[in-house]
Amino acid sequence: RPPLAMPIPASAFGLAQAGILQRALLCLWTKDVLRFAQSSALFYDRCFSPEAHSAFQSAAADLPSEASKGLQTPEDLWLHGLLPLRSIGTYAMAWKKAQLQLAMPSSVEHLFGEPLSFDTWQDVEAAGVMWLELSELDGTGCVNYVTEFKWRPETMQSFFAVPGSSTSSGLVKFTVEDPSGDMELDDDLKFRVNLIPEQNEEEGAMKNLHRMSLALVGGKSSSKIYQIFFHTVDPTYQVHINVPDHRQPIFPTNEVFHQWHPLMAGLRRRPR
């Protein structure tokens, strides 16, 4: 009878070469990957090298198509499947300097707000550029919030299936705290995005147009008057809306979109 062969333990180098190490690390928050990288020079190289970034990207690409490839919560980042670790540091510094607050819609799974999600590295880059721009502005007297307007998938299916129909996003709510700390003077602001069909006599892709309007709920009961600036964060288009007085229940904008506009294409792909 031949002697039993002892199994040869896999080395960290071998695991990294095969991309297995990066696939395992993809299950961790980015801050935990950074802690792991600090444990040795070898692990640092296996997390920060260009080859490591490619391995992280490959692991993220194998996630289900409907799964987010990057996440951000008020406390944590999960972005190493999209960005090199060094770039994530720049992103985090821009976010902190801009003094942004997440005001995401809540759900059954996320009672205190869903995480901000990203599908591609271009999404993160567009967000990072926005944070950098905000950090360079004099924001005295301003508060910056990040939120998402979402639609139910079946709502979007019906909207695109019936030409000339309108649609409204889910209601987004966040609280603006009074600078003096008086909780009775805090204001709850609520918004939703409406896409209303626009009359147009042209044919083809320009026939089905929709104008964006903003519904501002409960503005008249607020203790203060707010001027609000809405800016989209997307790598394919930009929309900037200035609302001088938030007490106006419906604010029609100058933004009109045809059916093949990147905003409409994005709503077809993901209703948010």
Side-chain angles (χ1 to χ4, degrees), residues 131-237:
W131 314 157
L132 285 171
E133 291 177 352
L134 290 173
S135 67
E136 295 170 356
L137 297 175
D138 181 9
T140 304
C142 295
V143 183
N144 297 320
Y145 294 91
V146 179
T147 189
E148 277 188 346
F149 294 95
K150 294 187 175 184
W151 285 259
R152 293 180 178 179
E154 55 270 22
T155 300
M156 279 290 98
Q157 291 176 5
S158 175
F159 171 68
F160 287 113
V162 182
S165 61
S166 61
T167 186
S168 299
S169 71
L171 195 67
V172 168
K173 170 189 172 183
F174 55 84
T175 301
V176 180
E177 298 180 355
D178 182 71
S180 66
D182 188 344
M183 297 181 62
E184 294 184 358
L185 296 179
D186 292 349
D187 289 323
D188 291 331
L189 304 183
K190 303 174 185 178
F191 312 95
R192 75 169 78 244
V193 172
N194 304 320
L195 292 173
I196 309 299
E198 185 84 354
Q199 294 295 331
N200 184 47
E201 297 180 356
E202 295 189 33
E203 296 296 328
M206 300 301 293
K207 181 178 180 179
N208 297 321
L209 300 179
H210 285 81
R211 182 179 297 275
M212 177 183 290
S213 67
L214 300 174
L216 314 173
V217 182
K220 294 184 178 180
S221 62
S222 301
S223 62
K224 305 176 188 65
I225 300 174
Y226 298 93
Q227 183 176 13
I228 305 174
F229 299 90
F230 289 88
H231 304 279
T232 57
V233 181
D234 192 278
T236 59
Y237 67 91

Side-chain angles (χ1 to χ4, degrees), residues 10-32:
S11 66
F13 178 80
L15 292 175
Q17 288 292 99
I20 299 175
L21 178 63
Q22 287 79 12
R23 289 180 179 273
L25 293 177
L26 190 65
C27 300
L28 303 178
W29 290 105
T30 298
K31 66 179 182 182
D32 297 320

Side-chain angles (χ1 to χ4, degrees), residues 91-102:
Y91 176 96
M93 290 299 296
W95 172 271
K96 183 177 180 181
K97 190 175 180 181
Q99 299 182 349
L100 290 148
Q101 300 181 34
L102 275 182

